[in-house]
Amino acid sequence: MIREATNRDSASIALIYNHYVSHSVATFEESEVDASEIAKRVNKVREEGLPWLIAENDAGVIGYAYAAKWHHRSAFRHTVEVTIYLSPTLVSKGIGTELYTMLFARLLELKIHVVISVITLPNAASIAIHERFGMKKVGHFHEVGNKFGKWLDVGFWELLLDEARPHQFISING
C-alpha cells in the first residue's frame, strides 16, 4: 500500500534513511538523523504542498519517495527534486516503481513542469529507476562530495513532466 506520510512515520523513515547514511554514498549526509529531524523534513515538504509518500506492508514502512522544491526563488516553483529510499532488503522488488508511479502522478496533478534527480555516481539501480520513468542525464559534476574518504561524482537527471507520457503515471491505489 502507498499513502501520504505522517509524523507517525518519522522513526521508520529515519531507520531506512540512516542505513544509507551509515553504509552508502547514496546520500551525502554523514551523520544519522533522528525521528524529530525527519518529522521536520516531512512537514516542510507537506507545507510546500508537495507529496511525501510511504510504501508499507504488514511489517510496516518499507520505503518512501518525495518531491521537494528545487530552489526557493519564485521562478523555480514548477520544478522539483525527487528522492526515493527503500528498505535495503527490498530493493529491485517493484516497490520503487510503485512509489514513483504514484509520486509522478501527483506531480502531474500539481502542474509540476520539471522533475530533477541528483544521483551519486556510480549507482546503477538509481539510474535504472529514474531512466525507467523517462528521465535523462543532463549533467555530471566531478568530485563534488567526499564521504568515507572518497571523492564522489553526482549526475543530474531531468524529465519535462508535462511532455512525458501521462498514462505511464497512473496511480497504483486508484
Side-chain angles (χ1 to χ4, degrees), residues 32-125:
E32 290 192 0
V33 180
D34 66 22
S36 65
E37 175 59 26
I38 293 294
K40 289 177 193 173
R41 294 177 188 189
V42 171
N43 288 333
K44 182 178 181 191
V45 166
R46 290 185 359 218
E47 287 167 5
E48 292 174 341
L50 294 169
W52 188 309
L53 303 177
I54 294 292
E56 64 183 350
N57 62 16
D58 293 338
V61 174
I62 56 175
Y64 64 93
Y66 66 92
K69 286 187 175 184
W70 173 242
H71 285 287
H72 289 279
R73 298 235 178 0
S74 178
F76 290 115
R77 68 187 171 278
H78 301 288
T79 301
V80 297
E81 179 180 351
V82 294
T83 301
I84 188 168
Y85 286 97
L86 303 174
S87 174
T89 61
L90 297 172
V91 173
S92 299
K93 305 273 189 224
I95 299 160
T97 299
E98 290 182 28
L99 276 165
Y100 261 4
T101 298
M102 176 86 66
L103 183 68
F104 283 44
R106 296 262 175 93
L107 295 174
L108 268 172
E109 292 168 4
L110 293 170
K111 308 266 190 263
I112 296 300
H113 180 61
V114 177
V115 176
I116 295 171
S117 185
V118 180
I119 302 172
T120 306
L121 301 173
N123 188 335

Side-chain angles (χ1 to χ4, degrees), residues 149-164:
K150 182 179 177 183
W151 288 108
L152 300 165
D153 295 1
V154 295
F156 286 77
W157 271 254
E158 79 171 0
L159 174 66
L160 300 179
L161 189 58
D162 51 3
E163 293 179 9

